[in-house]
Amino acid sequence: MFHLPFPLRDANAGSGSKELGNLPEWDLSDLYSGEDAPELAHDLDWLETECAAFAADYEGKLAELDAAALLTCVQRNEKISAIAGRIMSFAGLRYYQLTIDAGRAKFMSDCQEKITNFTTPLVFFTLELNRIEDDALTARFAENADLARYAPVFRRIRAMKPYQLSDELEKFLHDLGVVGDAWERLFDETIAGLTFDIDGEELNIEGTLNLLTEQDRSKREAAAHELARVFGENIKTFARVHNTAAKEKEVIDRWRKMPSAQTGRHLSNDVEPEVVEALREAVVAAYPKLSHRYYELKRKWLGLDRMQVWDRNAPLPMEDTRTIPWAQAERMVMEAYEAFDPRMGEIAAPFFSKGWIDAAVKPGKAPGAFAHPTVTEVHPYVMLNYLGKPRDVMTLAHELGHGVHQVLAAGQGEMLSSTPLTLAETASVFGEMLTFRKMLEKAETQEQRKVLLAGKVEDMINTVVRQIAFYDFECKLHAARRQGELTPENIGDLWMSVQGESLGPAFDFMEGYESFWAYIPHFVHSPFYVYAYAFGDGLVNALYSVYAEGAEGFEEKYFDMLKAGGSKHHKELLAPFGLDASDPKFWDKGLSMISDMIDELEAMEG
């Protein structure tokens, strides 16, 4: 019931090295001082007792509660969420710092199991809530303003009402969740255990993927072939994991009578299917003027007749290869944040000084980057694998944006603070855009400007085009799995069907590339998560264009938007800016920003 979000590797995050200065590490003592902290033991005991007491006090009685009693019930449920969230945040963050430590893995697993057992009796809460008549609930909101504040939570819970099963089946599924988690763990452990041999050097997956961004083309090519070889050797395991996860989802969706494999994700994202479809159609229609056009430019810059897949993330010949020390990265991001609004700088500052960031690349540390909100009464923690590349500065700006958002939204309390995925990327992508514009402003030569623009376009293509291609692949995968078991070749064919279309005619695809779906964690951990990246990028591009046009009072509206957390629907949040995500033209506004940057790059060629 209470999962620490898997640290989803942000689309453009890098990984590990030197000359970087003093890199900060987490101080997790704001959560607990250690595994054996008396406060932790106390919280686990409290949780066990309170979950049992909550069930005894309320099961079978929710419909009879008056407004004041229902408010007390909701607040008690919120406190349970906060304590469980605190425990799982501590266990999870310690694990991500050192995933190869068996003790930390066991501690996290034991905490998860205890909390699942303690909270199983609470499954009745949402089920009974959904059985209360709409009119009766509305009347209670009218009676009590404090209860009415939770209306958005009730609305989201009740969105599941048509797909709810019997109480007994819901408890069964809650308990069975641990088994689904085991397949995710198998995937994680398999990926973490892969070794790649590059010129006699043994590397893990992070190190090997990192070679795809090397200046030396022969190293990129060697890495691509080695990735294909190792994925190929393990492809049966990956196919088994995907088949099982997709089948499990299909069975649950069928029992719930969900109209599509994507429905559950759209509901949890609080977004209408037609809005996602409008985004998807706008991006697919824009492939020729975005990725196809950009990669044709890149082909010329690299001096190639044809692009190969190992050239997709190649650095540009004129690229800046300098290493940016941590202190300079901090200054660059803080300057951009403070220039937008001094308050943003004030919120960001403690991340650097109080042990809220873990930046160094270390053996056994989880890959990628994330910001974890923990619980509203503590503060977020940011994880990076900082290498000192210009792109790593962008990753810092991105994750710090998440952190600022999470701090501002914490005022909403445990149940209302977390934003759906589609809006969760807003502050991160906006923070990245502010930092990028500040770096662009400081570019001293046309060449530096070109490198920055090309890097930003490339990141946006990775975030928008690539993630929508991923979404299309998942849609095809789940549809095909409904017809029967899929062989690795079947899955490879689906993967290739979206790759050519999204990357465009500049590319050739090597043999073995058909297995590159195997390592993407989102497909296993969070089906259909990937469109949230494109949603967030498109939304921020539209938002930034309003800011760039000098809209009056933008900063104040922006802070209000972040403070709202999950208390408002995307329509309400965007209305003050004159934007509406259900309007297909909205997505074109965001995509045209990318297209304009490619126009500028093309003009530089002239």
Side-chain angles (χ1 to χ4, degrees):
M1 189 174 185
F2 298 98
H3 292 277
L4 181 80
F6 173 74
L8 287 159
R9 176 195 168 83
D10 264 319
N12 307 314
S15 80
S17 169
K18 53 219 175 271
E19 310 112 35
L20 301 174
N22 196 8
L23 294 169
E25 286 199 356
W26 279 336
D27 172 3
L28 297 178
S29 63
D30 289 344
L31 291 164
Y32 298 104
S33 58
E35 274 186 29
D36 51 4
E39 297 82 1
L40 178 59
H42 169 272
D43 281 355
L44 279 165
D45 290 344
W46 179 88
L47 204 57
E48 185 173 18
T49 309
E50 177 58 10
C51 286
F54 185 91
D57 291 347
Y58 295 115
E59 191 163 8
K61 300 169 194 163
L62 279 196
E64 301 151 23
L65 300 179
D66 63 18
L70 186 57
L71 174 64
T72 303
C73 170
V74 169
Q75 286 169 336
R76 280 178 66 181
N77 184 64
E78 189 165 36
K79 178 84 187 289
I80 288 169
S81 289
I83 298 295
R86 188 179 195 130
I87 294 166
M88 281 318 299
S89 294
F90 176 70
L93 293 173
R94 279 182 78 254
Y95 170 70
Y96 296 138
Q97 273 185 306
L98 195 59
T99 59
I100 50 179
D101 182 317
R104 292 186 186 209
K106 175 179 161 48
F107 178 70
M108 182 173 79
S109 199
D110 289 348
C111 286
Q112 180 70 74
E113 215 156 286
K114 281 178 186 167
I115 287 173
T116 300
N117 291 339
F118 297 164
T119 57
T120 295
L122 308 189
V123 171
F124 79 89
F125 179 69
T126 53
L127 306 180
E128 283 191 32
L129 210 54
N130 283 349
R131 285 201 282 269
I132 299 174
E133 293 299 323
D134 289 347
D135 294 350
L137 206 52
T138 307
R140 287 182 180 79
F141 291 155
E143 282 170 43
N144 190 312
D146 289 335
L147 179 66
R149 205 176 75 77
Y150 290 96
V153 178
F154 285 87
R155 179 179 63 76
R156 285 206 290 275
I157 290 172
R158 287 165 79 81
M160 273 299 286
K161 192 176 175 178
Y163 313 112
Q164 194 168 293
L165 300 171
S166 69
D167 293 13
E168 198 172 20
L169 266 177
E170 290 289 353
K171 281 183 183 171
F172 172 72
L173 285 178
H174 178 89
D175 270 0
L176 202 66
V178 179
V179 180
D181 291 351
W183 285 94
E184 293 176 23
R185 288 270 296 275
L186 172 65
F187 171 82
D188 292 346
E189 286 164 12
T190 305
I191 283 285
L194 296 180
T195 55
F196 303 84
D197 183 343
I198 308 283
D199 298 331
E201 189 186 352
E202 195 175 277
L203 295 172
N204 66 3
I205 190 160
E206 272 307 285
T208 314
L209 288 170
N210 204 43
L211 289 177
L212 295 176
T213 62
E214 271 290 324
Q215 208 54 275
D216 180 342
R217 191 173 191 228
S218 64
K219 280 192 178 166
R220 297 199 306 269
E221 182 175 356
H225 284 297
E226 181 63 359
L227 286 162
R229 183 187 71 79
V230 175
F231 293 158
E233 284 178 359
N234 292 274
I235 205 69
K236 285 184 175 168
T237 304
F238 290 121
R240 170 63 45 232
V241 169
H242 281 69
N243 268 294
T244 308
K247 184 62 185 175
E248 181 191 35
K249 184 170 178 9
E250 186 272 321
V251 171
I252 295 170
D253 286 352
R254 178 159 37 88
W255 275 79
R256 291 196 182 286
K257 298 186 169 57
M258 293 262 182
S260 76
Q262 299 84 351
T263 302
R265 176 61 63 202
H266 298 337
L267 285 169
S268 69
N269 281 347
D270 199 17
V271 68
E272 303 71 22
E274 55 276 16
V275 172
V276 178
E277 200 43 43
L279 161 67
R280 188 203 152 270
E281 282 175 13
V283 174
V284 172
Y287 285 169
K289 67 174 186 179
L290 301 181
S291 46
H292 297 190
R293 198 158 59 111
Y294 173 74
Y295 288 128
E296 184 51 35
L297 268 178
K298 186 166 184 175
R299 182 188 68 72
K300 287 181 196 157
W301 292 334
L302 294 171
L304 301 170
D305 292 330
R306 302 284 300 153
M307 289 272 278
Q308 301 295 334
V309 288
W310 56 82
D311 299 317
R312 187 174 63 82
N313 282 329
L316 302 175
M318 61 285 196
E319 192 151 311
D320 194 347
T321 52
R322 74 201 154 107
T323 296
I324 300 164
W326 176 256
Q328 192 183 340
E330 178 182 342
R331 268 199 313 278
M332 286 159 86
V333 175
M334 286 298 287
E335 203 179 301
Y337 274 32
E338 282 163 355
F340 172 72
D341 192 300
R343 287 172 295 178
M344 200 137 138
E346 280 166 32
I347 297 166
F351 281 85
F352 294 97
S353 59
K354 293 193 170 173
W356 299 2
I357 299 177
D358 198 302
V361 175
K362 289 170 282 200
K365 182 175 167 180
F370 63 87
H372 179 55
T374 72
V375 285
T376 53
E377 58 191 28
V378 187
H379 55 76
Y381 282 94
V382 164
M383 195 191 85
L384 306 168
N385 277 282
Y386 187 79
L387 269 166
K389 293 181 176 180
R391 187 166 281 179
D392 293 340
V393 179
M394 288 300 181
T395 303
L396 168 62
H398 181 104
E399 300 307 339
L400 201 58
H402 278 307
V404 167
H405 194 173
Q406 290 157 358
V407 168
L408 283 166
Q412 294 288 347
E414 212 56 47
M415 289 170 85
L416 282 161
S417 62
S418 66
T419 41
L421 287 176
T422 37
L423 295 163
E425 292 297 320
T426 308
S428 53
V429 181
F430 196 82
E432 218 178 314
M433 184 61 86
L434 290 172
T435 306
F436 164 70
R437 294 288 176 185
K438 180 59 77 179
M439 287 164 88
L440 203 59
E441 205 179 281
K442 292 190 165 186
E444 288 161 17
T445 63
Q446 185 79 330
E447 199 75 336
Q448 281 183 356
R449 186 176 175 86
K450 182 176 176 177
V451 168
L452 281 166
L453 273 173
K456 186 64 179 162
V457 167
E458 204 150 300
D459 282 353
M460 287 164 134
I461 286 172
N462 277 337
T463 308
V464 178
V465 170
R466 189 162 162 78
Q467 303 300 325
I468 287 298
F470 281 179
Y471 176 65
D472 276 354
F473 165 71
E474 284 190 276
C475 292
K476 290 180 174 188
L477 177 82
H478 285 266
R481 182 64 185 91
R482 289 181 174 206
Q483 306 309 310
E485 176 91 6
L486 301 172
T487 65
E489 292 73 26
N490 296 150
I491 303 175
D493 289 345
L494 298 176
W495 173 255
M496 293 309 291
S497 73
V498 301
Q499 290 301 308
E501 179 192 21
S502 62
L503 294 176
F507 278 92
D508 286 336
F509 295 93
M510 69 175 201
E511 197 176 325
Y513 189 66
E514 65 279 359
S515 62
F516 272 51
W517 50 270
Y519 77 94
I520 315 281
H522 307 62
F523 301 156
V524 177
H525 282 277
S526 305
F528 306 109
Y529 177 103
V530 288
Y531 75 74
Y533 284 126
F535 195 106
D537 214 276
L539 186 148
V540 168
N541 288 348
L543 203 57
Y544 194 87
S545 60
V546 174
Y547 170 59
E549 285 156 16
E552 203 175 319
F554 182 91
E555 291 82 353
E556 212 50 57
K557 289 177 192 169
Y558 181 72
F559 275 96
D560 288 345
M561 179 183 187
L562 299 189
K563 283 177 189 162
S567 67
K568 291 181 178 174
H569 186 259
H570 63 79
K571 242 182 163 54
E572 284 176 89
L573 286 174
L574 290 172
F577 303 97
L579 298 170
D580 177 5
S582 58
D583 177 359
K585 290 192 201 70
F586 168 84
W587 300 110
D588 292 335
K589 192 181 181 81
L591 294 171
S592 66
M593 183 188 280
I594 310 175
S595 189
D596 290 348
M597 288 184 187
I598 302 172
D599 287 348
E600 188 177 338
L601 286 168
E602 281 182 339
M604 288 178 179
E605 294 306 287

